[in-house]
Amino acid sequence: MLQAINLSHSFEYPLFSEVNLDIKAGSTTAIVGASGSGKSTILHILSTLLKPKSGEVIFGGKNLYSLKDDELLKIRRQDFGIIFQAHYLFRGFSAGENIELASILSGQKIDKNILERLGIAGLMSQKASELSGGQQQRISIARVLAKRPKIIFADEPTGNLDSHTAADVMSVLCEYAKEQSSALVLVTHDERLAGQMDAQFGLENEKLNQIRG
Ligand SMILES: Nc1ncnc2c1ncn2[C@@H]1O[C@H](COP(=O)(O)OP(=O)(O)OP(=O)(O)O)[C@@H](O)[C@H]1O
């Protein structure tokens, strides 16, 4: 579904090189590593947000970074779901309107069952700005799922949730990947969470090594 081939990137100093990944439909993958090792940077590169210094990201048989900007934007909007810890809801709109907007743009409908399982079904008429950080995070996850993306890229998606809610959210994301033959690529510090994914990679000493799967 998505392949990374020989990715390398650096900012002021080299971050990583020779990063290779093969993400299959219906799979869940974790990337772990020390703070500052470059995990989020890899996720940004895989999800079209940052052009690597070298290497290719192949999706649907195309090298994403050889596409024109409008083609890249179309893939990002239609096929990719990106979940970060900082959520960007429209604060003046209700939770329901935020999700509805994603549904309208994608022409897909959110499964009401997902709202129940995320524990947010009762919050739909509340203004996004009046929700707690964890509630906003779950609304933003529902908004991503409402698009029915082919791949979900999630950077510490449960970092601001209590352990019980975090487990519910992760099971919703993993089940979505399985049921929709989508894929989940997760960046996390949480080794236990990483252990629940089908495959696990560790970023250390500028290299991404497969630990499991
Ligand atoms: N846009 C940028 N410009 C310059 N340096 C950056 C930029 N983005 C990230 N960095 C640097 O690259 C390094 C890796 O950052 P990144 O966020 O990818 O690490 P991480 O492994 O996800 O860390 P954490 O687990 O703490 O979130 C850090 O030293 C960071 O300061």
Side-chain angles (χ1 to χ4, degrees):
M1 176 175 264
L2 180 121
Q3 290 89 35
I5 301 170
N6 274 330
L7 294 180
S8 76
H9 201 69
S10 53
F11 289 111
E12 281 85 35
Y13 52 90
L15 260 188
F16 49 77
S17 61
E18 296 168 49
V19 164
N20 291 287
L21 273 171
D22 185 4
I23 305 293
K24 301 253 189 314
S27 70
T28 58
T29 303
I31 299 175
V32 296
S35 180
S37 57
K39 304 180 296 296
S40 299
T41 303
I42 289 185
L43 210 63
H44 292 163
I45 291 172
L46 296 177
S47 61
T48 74
L49 299 175
L50 177 71
K51 189 173 182 177
K53 283 278 185 299
S54 65
E56 295 181 354
V57 180
I58 310 289
F59 177 73
K62 293 175 184 162
N63 177 13
L64 292 181
Y65 291 103
S66 66
L67 296 177
K68 294 197 195 102
D69 285 352
D70 58 336
E71 291 175 297
L72 197 61
L73 189 64
K74 195 167 161 215
I75 288 176
R76 187 188 309 152
R77 284 207 177 131
Q78 285 186 351
D79 299 326
F80 288 4
I82 305 175
I83 302 171
F84 294 128
Q85 221 177 341
H87 26 77
Y88 302 98
L89 297 177
F90 295 105
R91 294 174 59 78
F93 287 85
S94 72
E97 286 164 342
N98 268 280
I99 295 168
E100 190 69 17
L101 194 58
S103 291
I104 291 168
L105 290 173
S106 64
Q108 305 277 356
K109 277 230 170 303
I110 182 93
D111 179 351
K112 292 280 185 304
N113 189 31
I114 286 182
L115 302 181
E116 295 284 349
R117 295 197 41 221
L118 289 171
I120 53 174
L123 302 177
M124 290 302 108
S125 57
Q126 290 202 33
K127 233 183 183 186
S129 58
E130 291 166 6
L131 297 172
S132 74
Q135 288 169 333
Q136 290 187 39
Q137 177 69 345
R138 283 175 285 153
I139 302 292
S140 72
I141 290 171
R143 194 173 60 170
V144 166
L145 296 180
K147 274 181 27 173
R148 306 237 176 166
K150 296 202 174 86
I151 305 191
I152 297 172
F153 301 95
D155 197 345
E156 298 284 3
T158 58
N160 56 357
L161 301 176
D162 66 78
S163 57
H164 182 75
T165 312
D168 286 347
V169 166
M170 282 316 303
S171 65
V172 168
L173 288 174
C174 290
E175 281 167 30
Y176 172 88
K178 302 287 169 207
E179 284 164 11
Q180 302 287 325
S181 286
S182 169
L184 172 67
V185 184
L186 168 78
V187 158
T188 183
H189 288 114
D190 187 335
E191 290 279 352
R192 200 181 48 85
L193 196 59
Q196 293 167 13
M197 303 300 117
D198 301 330
Q200 187 174 339
F201 291 80
L203 185 55
E204 197 179 12
N205 299 328
E206 299 176 24
K207 295 283 178 278
L208 188 71
N209 300 308
Q210 185 151 14
I211 300 169
R212 216 172 38 72

